[in-house]
Amino acid sequence: VKRLRPRSIVFGPVASRRLGRSLGINVVPYKTCSYSCIYCQLGETTNLTIDRVDGVSPEEVAEAVERIVKRVEVDFATFVGEGEPTLYSRLGKAIELVKRIGVKVAVLTNGSLLWREDVRRDLAEANYVCAKLDAGTEETFRRVNRPHPALSLERVVEGLREFSKSFSGFFGIQIMLVEGVNDSDSELEKMVSILREIDADRFYVSIPTRPTALSWARPAPMERVSALAKALARAVGSERVALLTAPEGPDGFYLGEDVVESIVSITAVHPLRMDLAEEVLRRMGVENPRKLIEKLVSSGVLKLVSYRGVDYLIYSRRRG
Ligand code: SF4
C-alpha cells in the first residue's frame, strides 16, 4: 500500500557534520525517491517516481517543529528523511511556515528535479540547500543513482546549473564516491568539468560511512577522495571544497519523552551506530541500554547490521 504520509514528521535533533544540531523533517513516504542509489543508507527505493505528492499539511509540519524547538535548541530544521524531500508538493509553504517560527531551514535533496521551475521556486526561501552529483557520464549516473527512467544526467545538470544561478542561500553539492563505480580518473575528470560550471558555495567530497543499500557498494579509497578534492580545488578554488568522510560523533542526539519511539524514529532515517545508541539511552536514564536494544531487535522492530566492522541499528522495515 502506498503511504501518503511519512511515519513520523520530525526526528532528532541529530548531530550533523554540516549543520550542527539538526532537527530532521520527514515529508515524503518511506523510500519515495526519484533515485535508488546503490549506496543509499535507507535501503532500496520502493517507490521510484518523479511525481510530486501531497501528504502532510505544511501547518502540521510547522507545528511538529515548533513543539520541539520550544524545548530544545536546534541550529537547523532540515528537510531530509525517508525519501526525496522535493517530491513533496507543498515544500515551499512548509519552508515558509517553519522559517516563521524563527528557525533556519536546510534541505538535503538529490537535486534531480531542479530543472522544474516549481521545485526551484519551492526551495528559494531555504537558508541552505545541498544537492548531489555522483557521475560525469550518463552510464555511471545510471549505475550509481539508478534514476527514474525519465531523468537523464544532462537534465539533472541543467537543473543544478539553473538553480545555482538563482538561489540566494548557501548551496552545496555533495559527491559520493563508491569504489570501482564512479572513482576512475576519467569519471572524476568529467565530474569536475561539470561541477566547475555550477555556481555552488561548497563541494563536499564524501564516501558512504554507513550501511549501504547494496552491500558491495563500498567507500572509495582515500586516495581517490583526495584525487577528486585536489582536482576540484584546482578548478573552483580550495575554499569551496570540503571533505565529508568521517562518521558522526557521539553528541547532539536528542530523544523525546518516549525513548523507544525516539530511537525508532532516528533509525528509520539514519542507521545508528550501536555504541552511540547505547550512549544516548544511557544519558536518557535507561539503566541497561543493551538489554532494551536487544529487546527491540528480537521483537523485529530494529535490525542489527554490520558495516565495515561496526555494528549499526536500522529500522527493520527497510531491509524487510
Ligand atoms: S541516497 Fe537519497 S537520493 Fe539516493 S536513493 Fe537514497 S534517498 Fe534517494
Side-chain angles (χ1 to χ4, degrees):
V1 179
K2 186 171 158 188
R3 288 186 315 127
L4 288 176
R5 290 178 63 87
R7 202 185 48 81
S8 105
I9 299 176
V10 290
F11 63 95
V14 296
S16 156
R17 287 170 286 178
R18 281 167 288 180
L19 302 167
R21 289 171 71 85
S22 161
L23 179 67
I25 309 178
N26 200 12
V27 276
V28 292
Y30 179 69
K31 276 318 314 242
T32 297
C33 191
S34 47
Y35 286 174
S36 184
C37 304
I38 55 173
Y39 59 75
C40 184
Q41 60 185 29
L42 298 166
E44 299 263 357
T45 294
T46 45
N47 182 20
L48 185 68
T49 182
I50 58 165
D51 297 328
R52 303 186 84 194
V53 292
D54 217 347
V56 288
S57 75
E59 289 75 18
E60 254 182 289
V61 173
E63 277 161 26
V65 172
E66 197 165 19
R67 269 198 299 277
I68 304 284
V69 300
K70 268 187 187 156
R71 289 183 290 150
V72 210
E73 207 181 306
V74 305
D75 298 308
F76 271 95
T78 307
F79 288 83
V80 51
E82 300 185 328
E84 167 50 37
T86 61
L87 286 170
Y88 175 47
S89 61
R90 295 190 279 176
L91 183 61
K93 185 71 187 172
I95 290 174
E96 183 196 323
L97 295 184
V98 171
K99 279 186 77 181
R100 236 186 253 168
I101 303 169
V103 188
K104 279 191 287 185
V105 169
V107 182
L108 305 186
T109 168
N110 63 21
S112 65
L113 301 177
L114 293 173
W115 46 272
R116 286 179 63 135
E117 216 255 314
D118 58 344
V119 171
R120 292 200 299 275
R121 203 177 334 116
D122 276 356
L123 291 172
E125 292 306 315
N127 302 90
Y128 176 104
V129 170
C130 189
K132 63 170 78 210
L133 184 94
D134 301 327
T137 58
E138 184 67 30
E139 194 192 340
T140 305
F141 175 53
R142 308 233 145 250
R143 233 182 126 204
V144 67
N145 300 116
R146 298 188 297 172
H148 185 276
L151 297 171
S152 67
L153 182 63
E154 200 185 342
R155 203 172 200 193
V156 171
V157 169
E158 182 195 308
L160 292 169
R161 248 192 252 127
E162 197 59 38
F163 182 71
S164 75
K165 280 192 252 158
S166 62
F167 183 56
S168 59
F170 190 97
F171 183 40
I173 294 194
Q174 182 169 5
I175 307 108
M176 187 76 93
L177 289 182
V178 182
E179 184 174 29
V181 178
N182 62 349
D183 63 347
S184 69
D185 279 338
S186 75
E187 196 69 32
L188 298 191
E189 201 181 300
K190 288 182 183 110
M191 267 187 228
V192 171
S193 68
I194 291 175
L195 291 168
R196 72 188 320 156
E197 302 299 322
I198 299 173
D199 190 14
D201 296 290
R202 193 73 35 90
F203 297 92
Y204 300 100
V205 182
S206 64
I207 48 172
T209 56
R210 300 191 188 122
T212 50
L214 302 183
S215 56
W216 59 261
R218 298 181 56 82
M222 282 314 285
E223 179 272 315
R224 297 281 77 204
V225 171
S226 97
L228 176 58
K230 280 187 194 148
L232 260 176
R234 277 195 300 273
V236 302
S238 57
E239 69 290 351
R240 288 166 71 199
V241 181
L243 295 187
L244 269 188
T245 50
E248 74 273 40
D251 288 314
F253 289 98
Y254 166 79
L255 298 177
E257 270 137 40
D258 183 334
V259 173
V260 172
E261 173 57 31
S262 303
I263 208 145
V264 164
S265 92
I266 290 178
T267 55
V269 288
H270 183 296
L272 185 58
R273 255 179 31 214
M274 182 68 149
D275 58 326
L276 293 185
E278 285 188 57
E279 176 61 25
V280 164
L281 289 174
R282 212 169 286 118
R283 286 185 199 180
M284 292 292 296
V286 175
E287 249 175 50
N288 191 338
R290 180 57 74 122
K291 201 168 161 201
L292 174 64
I293 291 168
E294 277 169 6
K295 211 168 129 198
L296 291 170
V297 171
S298 65
S299 61
V301 176
L302 298 180
K303 253 191 193 178
L304 192 60
V305 295
S306 194
Y307 183 66
R308 303 174 78 208
V310 179
D311 285 339
Y312 288 83
L313 290 167
I314 57 173
Y315 188 45
S316 69
R317 178 185 47 179
R318 68 180 58 162
R319 311 250 157 175

